[in-house]
């Protein structure tokens, strides 16, 4: 090859690499979990959870650690002071959209003053029976007696106006509705603090402004908390956080630890492998081809999809394990093959082209996946393999040439004993037994669609969650019923209908702000009920009330403010005014306004009701949502079933499609049954081996097995094609060493992940370790045996 040709080849490749790097400069990597979920409905549900802040919500437990020398009261005051200081620090930081450390002092009286003028708008049909009891002759007598005793108590002077305005305690009917805001946790309010039953723990709730599924945001926020604890927590007070933050950090740190040493080990071992087997400095170029293909492949994927999922981008590392097969095969054929260089390249074109085509076919099938990250992975791998093949075809001939010294000796050294032609029936018998066992194991495999199966089992995170459950009680299974509305009035009315439905259906545990903040339509209906009630009661009520008041020692004019209030037209409860009141932090977690940036899907009001559910109540909620426009039920049980169904569908249809495409390509290439069977033997055995392994280890299939299963199919068929092409004709070199070196490099590149602590990485590694580890010897032994039996027949 001329120097000019070498120059232009290297210039073209390096130019494309530089262009790829430049085009990827604006690439943003997303850590959003929604990219890993299938189906628009499931992703839409998760986005609503994100809008409601549930994904970014944090529960911080401050607890007294160990035995304190201080008195119980002193220790509790230190605990509450720490909660106030930490809450103030969090508010000032600007990292949180809301922080609830305590309710403001005197919130009951502040709430009373805001609700008094609008009280009739809040009393629904269920309150009318209690109202009738309070206004009955016995109720009037009891209420006035309590008012008389209260006015003659030490606090009576301060409460005089309140008693004159509401002598029967009608506002208690509204204050009882505060119970609807109670969370599912076991706690008690003490001076506005959320205290545990034993008084040794205090709860803070907050919502991060930034996504906590992003590892960078999580790391930044954890640094803030580490510093804040030192400044705000009293001696003997410790903090524990549960929510997305600790899980994101645990997964990120686990992946970083695993990749740091596993990829380093894989790189070193792969370099040693190529150095020992090829024994030439030119092996560096062979080793570098997949890395050179990565930048342009990433750039093209970025141009198509924009921002990429971190998992999809990480799949670019797979290019090392997949695409290195082609430069290895080319290099060995050119350096150890017999015959003219041009003939070698001509003979290599067909097996290399079809090997790459079958591999890419598996990845292009992923473009039809219902998971966004899978589609990004598929395009990245598809483009990367194609570019790596082109780069290998351009570069390897520039550095590879036959080495005349000891050529025959080297050739003999690479030859394996020819077991396939000597014992073909024995080998095929063992192979058929393994396929039968794989077919038997397949129906018994269980699929786990829960993303928590890919969550790292961090000891500290688990310990903190156990501590939270022991302190505040187990939450149990929950559903979040989300009402949407184009206006605040619309969403409040819809939210009120949800609360009414739950009451009618006797749901025992649910959290809703609807009883305290109904929409205009509900308020109007409540007002009509109020007017009808008093229309039948007055004026006899006024006469009985005044007579009873006088009999207890009150003057006839003592409760003129109360009667004036009854005669006055009640005010419509203004949501804007109420939301700015003492309970604003509670409402902030349950009602979301349209975002200022006006993104599509974020321009609506959202109201949330939390419901405790079980297997019998969830279907009732789902049926209700079907009949209510713009009401969505979000529940883990619902997602788990839907995600499992969709991913199971993906596994079956995509694997079947990949298999059919590969069978079609191999059939077009060879056009004879024996050759086709021989080329596909490694693929079938790899699938059988993975099924048997999962069955014997009682493992569950996850989305990781889908991705790596298609990868193993693409790699395994390459081995079959290389071997079959070698056996059917002289294509430059014995394919056995090339396949062995390719398989060894793949096992090193991916197999090391089987030793990872993170479940997702472990699933990647173990799938390749089993699949490629079995397809390699099958390609060397079974594929030639099938061809040998065919010849004898």
């Amino acid at each position: 090859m001329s120097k000019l040709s070498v120059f232009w080849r290297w210039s073209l490749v390096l130019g494309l690499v530089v262009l790829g790097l430049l085009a990827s400069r604006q690439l943003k990597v997303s850590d959003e979990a929604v990219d890993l979920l299938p189906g628009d409905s499931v992703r839409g549900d998760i986005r609503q959870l994100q809008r409601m802040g549930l994904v970014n919500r944090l529960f911080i437990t401050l607890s007294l650690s160990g035995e304190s020398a201080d008195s119980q009261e002193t220790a509790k005051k230190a605990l509450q002071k720490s909660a106030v200081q930490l809450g103030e620090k969090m508010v000032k930081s600007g990292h949180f959209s809301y922080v609830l450390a305590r309710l403001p002092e005197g919130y009951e009286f502040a709430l009373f003053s805001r609700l008094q003028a609008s009280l009739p708008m809040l009393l629904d049909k269920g309150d009318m029976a209690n109202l009738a009891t309070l206004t009955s002759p016995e109720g009037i007598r009891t209420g006035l007696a309590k008012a008389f005793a209260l006015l003659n108590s030490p606090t009576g002077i301060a409460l005089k106006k309140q008693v004159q305005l509401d002598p029967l305690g009608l506002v208690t009917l509204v204050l009882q509705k505060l119970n609807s805001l109670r969370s599912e946790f076991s706690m008690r309010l003490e001076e506005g603090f959320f205290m545990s039953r034993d008084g040794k723990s205090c709860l803070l709730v907050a919502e991060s402004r930034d996504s906590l599924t992003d590892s960078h945001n999580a790391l930044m926020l954890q640094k803030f908390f580490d510093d804040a604890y030192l400044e705000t927590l009293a001696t003997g007070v410790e903090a524990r956080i549960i929510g997305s933050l600790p899980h994101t950090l645990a997964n990120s740190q686990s992946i970083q630890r695993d990749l740091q040493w596993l990829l380093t080990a894989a790189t070193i071992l792969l370099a040693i492998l190529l150095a020992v087997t090829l024994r030439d400095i030119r092996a560096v170029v062979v080793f570098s081809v997949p890395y050179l293909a990565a930048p342009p492949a990433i750039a093209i994927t970025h141009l198509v999809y924009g921002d990429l999922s971190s998992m999809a981008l990480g799949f670019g590392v797979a290019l090392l394990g997949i695409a290195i097969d082609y430069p290895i095969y080319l290099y060995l054929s050119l350096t150890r093959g017999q015959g003219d260089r041009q003939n070698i390249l001509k003979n290599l074109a067909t097996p290399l082209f079809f090997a790459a085509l079958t591999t890419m076919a598996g990845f292009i099938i992923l473009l039809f996946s219902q998971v966004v990250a899978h589609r990004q992975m598929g395009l990245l791998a598809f483009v990367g393999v194609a570019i790596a093949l082109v780069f290998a075809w351009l570069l390897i001939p520039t550095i590879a040439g036959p080495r005349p010294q000891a050529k025959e000796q080297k050739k003999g050294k690479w030859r394996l004993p020819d077991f396939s032609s000597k014992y073909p029936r024995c080998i095929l018998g063992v192979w058929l037994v393994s396929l039968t066992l794989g077919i038997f194991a397949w129906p018994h495999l269980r699929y786990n669609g829960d993303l928590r199966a890919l969550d790292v089992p961090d000891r500290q995170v688990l310990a903190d969650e156990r501590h939270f459950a022991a302190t505040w009680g187990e939450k149990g299974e929950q559903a979040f019923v989300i009402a949407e509305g184009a206006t605040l009035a619309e969403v409040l009315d819809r939210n009120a209908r949800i609360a009414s439905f739950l009451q009618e259906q006797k749901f025992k545990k649910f959290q809703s702000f609807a009883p305290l903040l109904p929409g205009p339509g509900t308020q109007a209906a409540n007002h009509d009920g109020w007017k009808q009630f008093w229309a039948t009661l007055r004026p006899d009520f006024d006469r009985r009330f005044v007579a009873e008041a006088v009999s207890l020692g009150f003057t006839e004019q003592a409760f003129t403010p109360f009667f004036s209030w009854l005669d006055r037209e009640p005010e419509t409860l203004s949501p804007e005014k109420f939301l700015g009141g003492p309970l604003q932090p509670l409402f902030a977690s349950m009602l979301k306004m349209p975002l200022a940036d006006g993104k599509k899907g974020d321009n609506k009001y959202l109201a949330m009701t939390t419901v405790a559910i079980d297997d019998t109540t969830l279907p009732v909620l789902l049926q209700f949502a079907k009949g209510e426009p713009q009401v969505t039920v979000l529940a883990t049980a619902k997602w788990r079933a839907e995600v499992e169904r969709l991913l199971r569908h993906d596994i079956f249809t995509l694997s079947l499609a990949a298999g059919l495409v590969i069978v079609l390509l191999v059939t077009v290439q060879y056009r004879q049954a024996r050759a086709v069977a021989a080329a596909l033997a490694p693929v079938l055995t790899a699938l059988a081996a993975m099924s048997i392994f999962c069955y014997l280890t009682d493992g569950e299939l996850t989305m990781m097995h889908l991705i790596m299963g298609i990868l193993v199919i693409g790699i395994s068929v390459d081995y079959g094609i290389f071997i079959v092409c070698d056996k059917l004709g002289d294509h430059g070199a014995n394919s056995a060493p090339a396949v062995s070196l390719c398989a060894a490099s793949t096992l090193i590149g991916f197999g090391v992940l089987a030793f990872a602590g993170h479940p997702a990485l472990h699933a990647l590694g173990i799938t390749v370790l089993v699949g490629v580890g079995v397809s390699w010897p099958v390609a060397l032994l079974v594929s030639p045996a099938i061809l040998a039996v065919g010849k004898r027949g």
Side-chain angles (χ1 to χ4, degrees):
M1 183 175 294
S2 67
K3 292 183 178 181
L4 182 60
S5 176
V6 171
F7 171 78
W8 282 115
R9 287 180 180 229
W10 277 94
S11 297
L12 176 61
V13 170
L14 295 179
L16 291 175
V17 172
V18 171
L19 286 176
L21 292 173
L22 293 175
S24 303
R25 285 184 305 170
Q26 303 301 320
L27 173 65
K28 293 182 180 180
V29 181
S30 169
D31 282 336
E32 293 298 331
V34 70
D35 291 335
L36 302 177
L37 296 173
D40 292 336
S41 62
V42 175
R43 289 195 295 273
D45 286 356
I46 295 297
R47 289 191 180 96
Q48 283 198 326
L49 276 183
Q50 292 173 330
R51 272 286 321 270
M52 289 305 306
L54 293 173
V55 176
N56 297 328
R57 187 172 297 178
L58 298 173
F59 296 92
I60 308 170
T61 302
L62 300 186
S63 301
L64 297 172
S65 58
E67 295 295 331
S68 174
D70 298 329
S71 66
Q72 183 176 354
E73 187 63 25
T74 302
K76 186 171 68 173
K77 291 298 183 184
L79 178 65
Q80 293 177 346
K81 182 179 179 181
S82 298
V84 170
Q85 292 180 159
L86 178 59
E88 291 175 348
K89 183 80 172 176
M90 293 169 66
V91 170
K92 292 178 181 177
S93 71
H95 293 313
F96 304 93
S97 55
Y98 77 86
V99 177
L100 181 57
R102 68 173 300 188
L103 293 178
E105 295 183 28
Y107 72 92
E108 299 97 333
F109 296 109
L111 187 62
F112 168 80
S113 64
R114 286 176 179 268
L115 295 181
Q116 184 69 34
S118 305
L119 186 144
M121 303 297 197
L122 300 176
L123 301 182
D124 55 30
K125 292 179 181 179
D127 296 313
M128 289 299 108
N130 293 329
L131 182 61
T133 300
L134 291 175
T135 55
S136 66
E138 181 62 30
I140 293 172
R141 187 177 304 110
T142 302
L144 286 173
K146 288 181 179 179
F148 186 83
L150 182 61
L151 288 173
N152 287 281
S153 68
T155 60
I157 297 177
L159 298 176
K160 180 180 178 181
K161 289 184 178 180
Q162 180 179 335
V163 171
Q164 285 184 300
L165 190 60
D166 186 22
L168 299 181
L170 300 186
V171 77
T172 59
L173 297 176
V174 175
L175 293 179
Q176 289 174 4
K177 296 177 182 292
L178 281 172
N179 292 328
S180 66
L181 289 177
R182 289 184 180 275
S183 71
E184 69 280 12
F185 301 127
S186 175
M187 63 174 63
R188 55 191 174 91
L189 271 175
E190 188 173 321
E191 299 179 12
F193 292 96
F194 302 95
M195 303 297 295
S196 60
R197 295 298 181 184
D198 61 6
K200 295 182 178 180
S201 297
C202 182
L203 182 67
L204 288 79
V205 184
E207 179 186 320
S208 169
R209 293 187 186 277
D210 300 315
S211 173
L212 293 185
T213 57
D214 186 300
S215 58
H216 299 292
N217 295 335
L219 190 61
M220 176 192 66
L221 205 57
Q222 185 59 54
K223 177 64 169 59
F224 162 78
F225 277 118
D226 290 340
D227 295 337
Y229 294 157
L230 295 175
E231 298 178 22
T232 61
L233 300 188
T235 303
V237 177
E238 63 179 10
R240 296 171 183 255
I241 296 179
I242 71 165
S244 301
L245 175 64
H247 283 275
T248 299
L249 286 174
N251 280 285
S252 176
Q253 291 167 358
S254 176
I255 291 175
Q256 287 179 8
R257 284 195 303 268
D258 285 339
L259 294 183
Q260 186 174 1
W261 76 272
L262 289 176
L263 291 185
T264 300
T267 302
I268 294 173
L269 290 175
L270 189 56
I272 293 174
L273 173 68
L274 295 179
V276 170
T277 54
L278 301 183
R279 299 181 182 180
D280 197 317
I281 192 62
R282 292 176 292 180
V284 173
V285 176
V286 178
F287 181 77
S288 301
V289 167
Y291 291 111
L292 295 174
I298 293 172
I300 292 174
T301 309
H302 169 50
L303 291 175
V304 174
Y305 286 106
D307 297 345
L308 298 183
S309 162
S310 58
M311 179 169 287
L313 187 59
F315 197 70
V317 179
L319 294 172
L320 174 64
I322 305 168
I324 202 171
D325 292 359
Y326 312 127
I328 287 176
Y329 195 69
L330 264 171
Y331 184 81
L332 287 179
S333 297
L334 289 172
T335 56
R336 306 183 189 278
Q338 302 296 312
D340 180 72
R341 178 186 181 88
Q342 294 302 320
N343 288 333
I344 292 176
L345 288 174
K346 181 180 178 181
N347 292 331
L348 286 175
T350 298
L352 279 176
F353 174 75
F354 274 98
L357 197 59
T358 51
T359 299
M360 290 188 292
F363 291 121
I364 202 170
I365 293 298
L366 283 178
L367 296 179
F368 300 95
S369 171
Q370 300 183 73
V371 180
V372 174
H374 288 182
R375 296 198 292 269
Q376 294 176 355
M377 291 176 188
L379 181 61
L380 180 57
F382 175 84
V383 175
V385 168
I387 293 175
L389 177 62
V390 173
F391 281 7
W393 194 262
L394 290 173
L395 298 184
I396 298 303
T398 67
I399 55 102
R403 293 184 295 175
Q405 64 274 18
K407 187 181 301 181
E408 293 301 323
Q409 182 180 354
K410 289 179 180 293
K411 182 178 178 182
K413 185 177 180 180
W414 281 87
R415 289 289 183 183
L416 296 174
D418 193 6
F419 295 112
S420 301
S421 60
K422 294 181 179 179
Y423 314 105
R425 297 187 184 279
C426 180
I427 291 174
L428 293 180
V430 174
W431 176 60
L432 291 175
V433 169
S434 66
L435 292 184
T436 303
L437 293 175
I439 294 172
F440 167 79
W442 180 258
H444 298 279
L445 300 182
R446 292 176 291 110
Y447 183 79
N448 187 353
D450 193 344
L451 288 180
R452 288 176 295 184
L454 303 178
D455 202 16
V456 62
D458 185 86
R459 293 182 179 180
Q460 186 59 52
V461 173
L462 296 176
D464 289 346
E465 290 178 345
R466 286 193 297 268
H467 178 271
F468 186 92
T471 304
W472 307 108
E474 293 281 359
K475 290 193 298 182
E477 195 76 21
Q478 291 181 314
F480 305 100
V481 187
I482 309 295
E484 295 183 33
T487 65
L488 184 56
E490 181 182 335
V491 79
L492 292 178
D493 275 333
R494 189 164 288 128
N495 191 52
R497 288 201 297 274
I498 294 171
S500 297
F501 171 80
L502 296 175
Q503 291 170 345
E504 293 169 2
Q505 296 295 321
K506 309 298 183 185
F507 277 76
K508 295 181 180 180
K509 294 182 180 181
F510 67 91
Q511 183 185 21
S512 172
F513 66 82
L516 281 170
L517 186 57
T522 306
Q523 290 190 47
N526 291 342
H527 186 204
D528 290 341
W530 170 269
K531 289 191 296 185
Q532 291 174 12
F533 177 86
W534 287 106
T536 59
L537 194 64
R538 300 180 73 180
D540 289 342
F541 169 82
D542 296 27
R543 178 182 52 79
R544 287 196 303 268
F545 184 93
V546 172
E548 189 66 40
V550 170
S551 69
L552 289 173
F554 292 104
T555 66
E556 291 187 1
Q557 292 77 30
F559 295 102
T560 299
F562 173 57
F563 290 108
S564 298
W565 175 75
L566 286 179
D567 293 332
R568 191 183 310 127
E569 187 71 14
E571 297 179 8
T572 300
L573 183 63
S574 167
E576 291 79 3
K577 180 180 178 182
F578 189 72
L579 291 174
L583 300 181
Q584 189 275 335
L586 281 175
F587 284 112
S589 65
M590 305 172 72
L591 179 64
K592 297 297 180 182
M593 306 299 181
L595 298 183
D597 55 15
K599 291 181 180 178
K600 185 179 180 181
D602 293 342
N603 57 351
K604 291 186 177 182
Y605 292 86
L606 298 180
M608 179 179 72
T609 300
T610 305
V611 187
I613 59 169
D614 54 34
D615 292 340
T616 60
T617 53
L618 179 58
V620 176
L621 278 179
L622 295 175
Q623 187 62 35
F624 167 75
K626 285 182 179 180
E628 278 286 336
Q630 299 188 68
V631 171
T632 307
V633 176
L634 312 179
T636 302
K638 170 191 170 187
W639 299 324
R640 189 182 301 121
E642 182 69 3
V643 168
E644 182 171 339
R645 182 186 67 81
L646 292 174
L647 289 181
R648 189 187 296 275
H649 174 268
D650 264 9
I651 283 182
F652 176 77
T653 56
L654 297 184
S655 298
L656 179 62
L660 291 176
V661 171
I662 288 173
V663 169
L664 177 62
L665 290 173
V666 173
T667 302
V668 168
Q669 180 183 3
Y670 295 114
R671 301 179 185 178
Q672 53 177 292
R674 295 288 179 178
V676 171
L680 295 177
V683 178
L684 299 175
T685 316
L687 295 175
M690 289 187 288
S691 299
I692 295 170
F693 178 83
C694 288
Y695 176 75
L696 294 178
T697 58
D698 197 31
E700 294 180 322
L701 297 178
T702 66
M703 65 170 63
M704 292 298 112
H705 294 94
L706 167 63
I707 298 300
M708 300 314 291
I710 292 180
L711 169 66
V712 169
I713 290 174
I715 292 175
S716 300
V717 75
D718 287 357
Y719 301 159
I721 289 175
F722 290 156
I723 292 296
V724 171
C725 284
D726 181 38
K727 297 299 179 181
L728 293 181
D730 182 14
H731 290 286
N734 177 21
S735 292
V739 167
S740 298
L741 188 54
C742 292
S745 65
T746 300
L747 290 175
I748 289 175
F750 284 108
V752 293
L753 296 180
F755 301 97
H758 195 280
L761 294 181
H762 175 75
L764 293 176
I766 204 69
T767 304
V768 175
L769 196 63
V770 173
V772 175
V774 170
S775 64
W776 174 14
V778 167
L780 299 182
L781 297 175
V782 176
S783 295
I786 293 175
L787 296 175
V789 169
K791 289 180 181 179
R792 291 188 177 190

